[in-house]
Amino acid sequence: MNFEYFLAKRLIKGKEHKSSMSSAIIKIAIFAIAIGMVMMLITVATGVGLQRKIREKVAAFNGHILISSYDNNNSVESLVPIKRDQHFYPDFTEVKGVAHIQGVATKWGVIRTEDDFEGIVVKGIGDDYNWGYFKEYLIEGVLPDFTDPRNNQILMSAYTASRLGLTLGDKINTFFLKKKATSNSPANIRTFEIVGIYDSGFQEFDETFILADIRHIQKMNKWNNDEVGLFEVFIDDFDKIDKKGGEVHNAIPSTLEAQTIALKYGSIFEWLKLFDLNIIGIIAIIIVVAGINMITALLVLILERTPMIGILKSLGTDDWSIRKVFLYNAGYLILIGLFWGNLIGIGLLLIQKNYEIIGLNPATYYVSTAPVYISLGYILLLNIGTLLLCLVMLLIPSFVVAKISPSRAIRFQ
């Protein structure tokens, strides 16, 4: 190996023997590897980042798994209450990997202002609500405090506030339909105060939900204080959501059902799965293009060093040893391309991650800026995979060495 490595090193440093054409081709090959790595890093980082960001937003509004009564018939509004006194609440010990469980309730309502009105869903939450999944979307004001006696604080989306011309601190009248409405009292009326405004960028949820004290819904529905509309379950590893969803379903009473957000919002998550195919397709195309450029560069190197190959063969060097010389040289060129590709690619990703320069249409992508997910694992995988696949592709053109005759090669100029 030392012999082949020494020759490869001399071949790399032997710039005085390189023609301008071969030098240009080698530079193009290095450039192709570098640009290819930049594109692969951006593709994976933004693709995975978008998947994770959208999953986080859906989970922030729903949890990962929803436990509800079968009698609700998938209604957005909580129709049938569930007792808090369940063996799985507040600690779901039967299923490993459950991070948190909280009781909530929802109810349709209409916000009425002097000039306009808007239909909304009030999501009632209590002191068991984990704001850790939601607080990053707060853009103004404070998070409501529902640990004290029932209050009128609410968290409203910037989208709804803008449509109704509301600002932080405004008080709003919200009308809820009664089960037994009368001409004198057709609806329940609640006056809420906006103490916080959020913006998730997920318009489907922003235009729907406001967050309020669950005790308002309990009182309007004539529920007891220990009754909720459904339970939201959060798990540690989203990649295991289907498995954990089945385990949760088997652990709860037969009168309740468990549904994962991947099933409830099937169209969104099916769309996200397409990102995996796109990422794989783009990476495959880039590696093939980079490999073809390296094949061209290797063939030029072999043809340019034909006399050297002839001399080595006449001295008894076998074909595989000579091929390894050129493969070492090609590997060195690939590493140069990977170095610059990583330097540029990771630099661009860090700029986007910290400064959010590139924006997206939230109506289409559910996010306002291109999210970036940087992981050492996939960076190493891309680099190692690119290096190995390119070297494997170069094995075929390296067979040209075996076709070179020593007598003719020595006379070759």
Side-chain angles (χ1 to χ4, degrees):
M1 177 180 291
N2 292 333
F3 171 71
E4 292 90 354
Y5 176 78
F6 172 77
L7 284 180
K9 190 174 181 180
R10 295 298 301 171
L11 187 62
I12 292 167
K13 291 184 176 181
K15 296 181 180 179
E16 66 278 4
H17 299 295
K18 292 181 181 178
S19 66
S20 59
M21 182 183 71
S22 65
S23 179
I25 292 175
I26 290 172
K27 289 179 181 179
I28 291 173
I30 294 174
F31 179 78
I33 293 291
I35 292 299
M37 179 52 61
V38 171
M39 296 305 298
M40 286 190 290
L41 287 172
I42 292 175
T43 299
V44 176
T46 55
V48 175
L50 187 61
Q51 287 177 319
R52 293 172 67 91
K53 197 65 178 178
I54 293 175
R55 287 178 348 197
E56 289 173 3
K57 290 187 176 185
V58 177
F61 284 93
N62 301 272
H64 294 114
I65 304 167
L66 297 91
I67 300 175
S68 61
S69 172
Y70 280 107
D71 295 331
N72 281 324
N73 295 320
N74 293 321
S75 173
V76 175
E77 181 172 346
S78 303
L79 302 174
V80 179
I82 305 172
K83 291 284 187 181
R84 285 185 188 267
D85 184 18
Q86 303 287 340
H87 66 86
F88 55 78
Y89 179 84
D91 298 314
F92 211 135
T93 56
E94 292 88 344
V95 178
K96 293 182 179 179
V98 172
H100 180 68
I101 181 169
Q102 58 198 25
V104 301
T106 53
K107 192 170 183 66
W108 285 105
V110 176
I111 298 176
R112 185 75 172 91
T113 66
E114 293 182 359
D115 304 317
D116 207 349
F117 66 92
E118 189 79 21
I120 47 87
V121 173
V122 176
K123 180 175 180 178
I125 59 180
D127 56 5
D128 63 344
Y129 191 78
N130 188 347
W131 287 106
Y133 299 98
F134 204 92
K135 64 181 179 181
E136 67 173 289
Y137 306 126
L138 182 71
I139 60 172
E140 192 175 356
V142 298
L143 296 172
D145 182 9
F146 299 138
T147 58
D148 295 330
R150 187 177 74 231
N151 60 58
N152 297 324
Q153 298 178 357
I154 64 167
L155 187 65
M156 177 180 285
S157 72
Y159 176 89
T160 302
S162 176
R163 285 178 61 88
L164 295 175
L166 300 172
T167 59
L168 196 68
D170 286 348
K171 294 184 178 181
I172 57 172
N173 292 322
T174 308
F175 298 81
F176 300 91
L177 185 65
K178 282 186 173 182
K179 290 184 178 180
K180 295 182 179 179
T182 64
S183 57
N184 294 329
S185 180
N188 285 309
I189 304 176
R190 291 290 185 276
T191 300
F192 295 120
E193 178 185 0
I194 304 173
V195 298
I197 294 178
Y198 73 88
D199 183 12
S200 73
F202 207 122
Q203 187 173 321
E204 182 177 339
F205 295 141
D206 287 358
E207 67 184 5
T208 303
F209 291 103
I210 67 171
L211 277 64
D213 196 323
I214 192 174
R215 288 168 288 191
H216 288 291
I217 297 178
Q218 290 170 336
K219 185 175 180 180
M220 287 186 287
N221 289 349
K222 301 186 184 303
W223 293 353
N224 297 323
N225 290 336
D226 64 342
E227 291 179 323
V228 298
L230 68 155
F231 292 98
E232 295 178 343
V233 180
F234 293 86
I235 60 176
D236 294 324
D237 187 356
F238 185 88
D239 293 331
K240 298 179 180 179
I241 188 170
D242 292 331
K243 177 183 177 182
K244 295 303 176 183
E247 292 178 5
V248 169
H249 184 271
N250 294 331
I252 61 178
S254 59
T255 55
L256 303 177
E257 70 166 334
Q259 184 182 38
T260 66
I261 54 174
L263 291 176
K264 183 175 182 179
Y265 300 98
S267 59
I268 294 175
F269 284 90
E270 287 299 321
W271 174 66
L272 289 180
K273 288 180 181 178
L274 294 177
F275 278 72
D276 294 330
L277 295 176
N278 293 338
I279 291 172
I280 294 173
I282 292 173
I283 290 176
I285 292 172
I286 291 174
I287 290 179
V288 169
V289 171
I292 291 173
N293 278 277
M294 286 306 305
I295 288 173
T296 303
L298 181 62
L299 289 174
V300 170
L301 285 174
I302 292 174
L303 294 175
E304 194 177 51
R305 295 298 190 274
T306 299
M308 184 192 76
I309 295 172
I311 294 173
L312 291 174
K313 283 192 171 186
S314 64
L315 294 174
T317 308
D318 60 90
D319 290 338
W320 175 235
S321 295
I322 300 174
R323 288 171 61 194
K324 284 195 290 184
V325 171
F326 289 97
L327 289 176
Y328 288 153
N329 192 18
Y332 174 78
L333 299 177
I334 294 172
L335 289 175
I336 294 176
L338 292 178
F339 170 78
W340 287 109
N342 282 282
L343 187 64
I344 297 171
I346 296 175
L348 292 174
L349 292 176
L350 289 174
I351 292 174
Q352 174 63 20
K353 185 178 180 67
N354 294 320
Y355 300 103
E356 299 181 341
I357 297 174
I358 300 176
L360 296 175
N361 184 0
T364 303
Y365 295 99
Y366 306 109
V367 291
S368 56
T369 60
V372 171
Y373 174 71
I374 301 176
S375 170
L376 180 62
Y378 80 73
I379 293 176
L380 290 175
L381 186 62
L382 284 176
N383 281 271
I384 295 172
T386 301
L387 177 62
L388 293 179
L389 288 174
C390 285
L391 289 176
V392 169
M393 293 172 65
L394 292 175
L395 287 174
I396 297 175
S398 69
F399 275 106
V400 173
V401 171
K403 303 296 183 181
I404 296 176
S405 171
S407 59
R408 294 182 179 180
I410 294 173
R411 297 195 303 268
F412 179 78
Q413 295 292 338

